[in-house]
């Protein structure tokens, strides 16, 4: 059984519930554990995120909706926070039951509506990034097999209400401001209830773990060759820190996350995360200063041998911190036999 929330978290959940926002914890097959979806009792009855595409997740969703006196058939609007499969896998099933509209930031529309093809392109992009940063071919192929198997936990969804960054999503009794906060994924979106000072943040900020800024294929170039895109990959951690700094300035009293408990002091938590990234970048600089290393060699030096399923996560983390060093001019990159190496600038 999971541990009960601490008193401040429970008070935050209770206050959100009084404001008509209920946390539904839906099981996932992933190491992160349950995903938080949010039922907003308003008109239309709104569900923020859905959980993964599985029978167990669907059963739990139906059961927890019933605890609040509702069923899937009652849902009139599903809001998507980002593109990861534990957050959007059940959307199509919900829509088929209820006829609900689906709202998401405009940058997510192509991915949501072409899920299978875009997920395949994401795998090609990730494979090219791994090979370019020194991960052995056999490990890359093994991870592609795992990733392909995971795809069934997601599903496509037609977005009927595309939202622009800054646009208000109007319900009968509340207005939620749509704010694009890329970093953890390119489509990360938070929804800000200024009247209640509640931020629905999904995986943008999580209390008990640091959100991994995964290096992801850009969403604004869906037809670009994934291997070509890997040669000028996005700097996900740099982008994520920029997003965190924007969120830090918000007068939020409660941040509702995609996993774990609510956050009641988001500025302090963000400061802790920024300090962690600074220290990690310094540690990686020390490794690079010893000798030029590839991203894979840096990941091995930091984490040792990791499971195949974690190879891209750890590479993304390492490259994110290298990008901070590149931005500061402390490190430069060179290429040998198709592999990128990082070396300290004298």
């Amino acid at each position: 059984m999971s541990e009960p929330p601490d008193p401040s978290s429970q008070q935050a959940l209770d206050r959100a519930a009084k404001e008509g926002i209920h946390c539904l914890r839906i099981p996932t097959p992933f190491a992160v554990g349950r995903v938080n979806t949010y039922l907003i009792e308003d008109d239309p009855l709104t569900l923020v995120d859905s959980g993964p595409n599985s029978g167990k997740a669907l059963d739990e969703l139906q059961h927890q909706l019933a605890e609040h006196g509702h069923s899937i058939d009652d849902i009139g609007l599903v809001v998507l926070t980002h593109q990861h499969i534990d957050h959007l896998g059940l959307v199509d099933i919900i829509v088929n039951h209820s006829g609900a509209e689906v709202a998401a930031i405009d940058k997510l529309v192509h991915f949501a509506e072409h899920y299978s093809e875009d997920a395949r392109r994401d795998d090609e992009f990730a494979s090219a990034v791994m090979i370019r940063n020194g991960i052995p071919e056999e490990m890359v192929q093994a991870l592609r097999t795992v990733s392909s198997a995971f795809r069934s936990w997601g599903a496509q969804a037609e977005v009927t209400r595309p939202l622009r960054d800054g646009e208000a999503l109007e319900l009968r009794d509340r207005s939620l401001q749509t704010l694009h906060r890329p970093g953890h994924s390119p489509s990360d979106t938070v929804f800000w209830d200024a009247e209640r000072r509640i931020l629905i943040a999904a995986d943008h900020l999580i209390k008990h773990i640091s959100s991994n800024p995964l290096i992801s294929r850009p969403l604004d170039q869906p037809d670009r060759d994934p291997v070509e895109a890997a040669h000028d990959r996005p700097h996900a951690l740099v982008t994520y820190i920029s997003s965190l700094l924007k969120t830090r300035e918000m007068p939020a009293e409660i941040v509702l996350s995609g996993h774990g408990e609510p956050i009641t002091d988001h500025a302090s938590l963000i400061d802790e995360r920024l300090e962690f990234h600074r220290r990690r970048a310094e540690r990686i600089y020390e490794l690079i200063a010893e000798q030029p290393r590839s991203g894979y060699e840096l990941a091995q030096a930091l984490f040792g041998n990791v499971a195949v399923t974690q190879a891209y996560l750890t590479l993304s983390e390492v490259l994110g911190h290298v990008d901070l060093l590149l931005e500061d001019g402390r490190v430069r990159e060179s290429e040998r036999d198709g592999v990128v190496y990082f070396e300290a600038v004298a």
Side-chain angles (χ1 to χ4, degrees), residues 298-313:
L298 287 168
Q300 286 185 306
L302 272 178
F303 305 113
N305 291 323
V306 299
V308 169
T309 54
Q310 301 300 307
Y312 196 60
L313 295 174

Side-chain angles (χ1 to χ4, degrees), residues 51-195:
N53 181 18
S54 78
K56 184 176 182 181
L58 181 60
D59 288 344
E60 283 267 5
L61 178 61
Q62 290 173 318
H63 175 73
Q64 293 184 46
L65 285 170
E67 289 180 342
H68 295 286
H70 302 290
S71 72
I72 285 179
D73 294 346
D74 301 328
I75 295 172
L77 175 66
V78 181
V79 179
L80 299 180
T81 63
H82 65 296
Q83 66 206 68
H84 290 163
I85 56 181
D86 52 333
H87 292 261
L88 56 69
L90 284 176
V91 173
D92 192 49
I93 291 174
I94 294 168
V95 170
N96 286 335
H97 272 270
S98 66
E101 287 199 88
V102 178
I105 197 155
D106 48 12
K107 296 170 178 60
L108 179 54
V109 172
H110 189 280
F111 183 94
E113 295 186 347
H114 302 83
Y115 168 72
S116 295
E117 175 63 18
D118 276 18
R120 183 186 63 77
R121 284 176 170 265
D122 283 355
D123 287 350
E124 292 176 4
F125 170 84
S127 296
V129 170
M130 286 188 282
I131 290 170
R132 186 165 169 74
N133 286 279
I135 293 184
E137 178 78 28
E138 60 272 17
M139 184 178 290
V140 172
Q141 291 305 318
L143 187 54
R144 283 199 69 165
T145 300
V146 172
S147 180
S148 179
F150 278 177
R151 269 188 231 154
S152 63
W153 300 101
Q156 71 180 41
E158 181 184 357
V159 178
T160 57
R161 293 180 65 176
L163 304 168
R164 297 181 305 277
D165 182 26
E167 181 179 348
L169 178 61
E170 301 287 353
L171 308 182
R172 182 192 60 207
D173 298 329
R174 73 197 72 213
S175 176
L176 301 174
Q177 187 181 15
T178 305
L179 298 171
H180 187 216
R181 291 287 190 267
H184 169 67
S185 82
S187 56
D188 270 23
T189 313
V190 302
F191 294 90
W192 171 231
D193 186 333
E195 179 183 348

Side-chain angles (χ1 to χ4, degrees), residues 321-339:
H321 292 96
V322 169
D323 289 341
L324 297 179
L325 299 171
L326 287 166
E327 191 175 63
D328 288 343
R330 301 173 66 195
V331 163
R332 63 183 168 222
E333 62 180 45
S334 59
E335 186 173 328
R336 298 199 307 268
D337 299 324
V339 175

Side-chain angles (χ1 to χ4, degrees), residues 196-272:
R196 296 165 181 81
R197 298 203 170 193
I198 294 175
L199 181 69
I200 301 175
D203 291 1
H204 171 61
L205 190 63
I206 300 173
K207 186 174 184 178
H208 66 290
I209 53 173
S210 180
S211 299
N212 191 326
L214 197 67
I215 296 172
S216 304
R217 187 173 59 90
L219 293 176
D220 59 352
Q221 301 170 330
D223 298 324
R224 186 183 182 191
D225 177 68
V227 176
E228 178 186 311
H231 279 69
D232 58 346
R233 59 172 179 79
H235 291 186
L237 180 57
V238 174
T239 299
Y240 181 52
I241 287 175
S242 176
S243 291
L244 283 179
L245 290 172
K246 292 177 183 176
T247 299
R248 190 191 184 285
E249 300 307 310
M250 298 180 70
E253 295 176 357
I254 298 173
V255 176
L256 299 173
S257 299
H259 303 274
E261 304 303 331
I263 299 161
T264 54
D265 188 357
H266 70 289
S268 293
L269 181 60
I270 289 172
D271 287 345
E272 290 175 13

